Amino acid sequence: TGGSTYAYQFNEYTRRYGGSHDDVGHLVVNSRRNGLKVPWGYYTLHEPEPFTHEDYVNGRYINAPLNLFDNDRPVNAAGCYVLTTAEKAQDMKQTPVYIWNHAEHQAAHRSTVQTLDESQEWCGLEARKTLEGAGLAIEEVDIFNPYDGFTLFTQTWLEAFGWHGVKEGEA
């Protein structure tokens, strides 16, 4: 249901605020370019070829208007984190990283297909909980990386957090 949900939301977004699918291509091309700067990154190791706006626009549709490059692509990876108390962490060999907050999405939706309004609502809630828990205003954040495997949500996160004053419908 993810692909159909996101295509529905994207269409709703463009009807409400304007723009087109092709406009998102600049974000995807820039993300790929940034990904190639990481020597051990997926794109550097597996798809190092240049990626253009034309490549994006001509991508195979998954659920129109969203194509292959708008959807989470399976990448085999793994990560492991050891969580412990601050007291126990102070004696570890590596300098600990402290987690000050977490935000969790538990919104109930009217159906399995979320509307744009529902997504904007829960993204806004998560943004507020994240900033409040961290004790920060978005203006105090130096580096903001709102990655999501689906291009629609990268712009939704930019708007929800208000990064550089971006408001709903402006991303």
Side-chain angles (χ1 to χ4, degrees), residues 111-128:
S111 78
T112 57
V113 179
Q114 296 175 21
T115 66
L116 177 62
D117 290 331
E118 289 170 333
S119 289
Q120 287 173 323
E121 180 182 344
W122 70 258
C123 284
L125 177 63
E126 295 303 312
R128 284 189 300 280

Side-chain angles (χ1 to χ4, degrees), residues 3-4 6-8 10-11 21 60-67 71:
S4 62
Y6 306 137
Y8 167 74
F10 185 85
N11 284 329
H21 174 259
R60 178 175 52 87
Y61 284 118
I62 300 297
N63 194 337
L66 304 182
N67 68 30
N71 289 271

Side-chain angles (χ1 to χ4, degrees), residues 131 134-144 163:
L131 292 170
L136 294 170
I138 194 64
E139 297 80 19
E140 297 173 282
V141 176
D142 294 326
I143 298 172
F144 181 65
W163 181 248

Side-chain angles (χ1 to χ4, degrees), residues 10-24 65 155 169 171:
F10 185 85
N11 284 329
E12 194 175 349
Y13 187 96
T14 56
R15 277 194 300 276
R16 186 179 298 173
Y17 303 117
S20 71
H21 174 259
D22 294 359
D23 295 334
V24 182
Q155 68 188 35

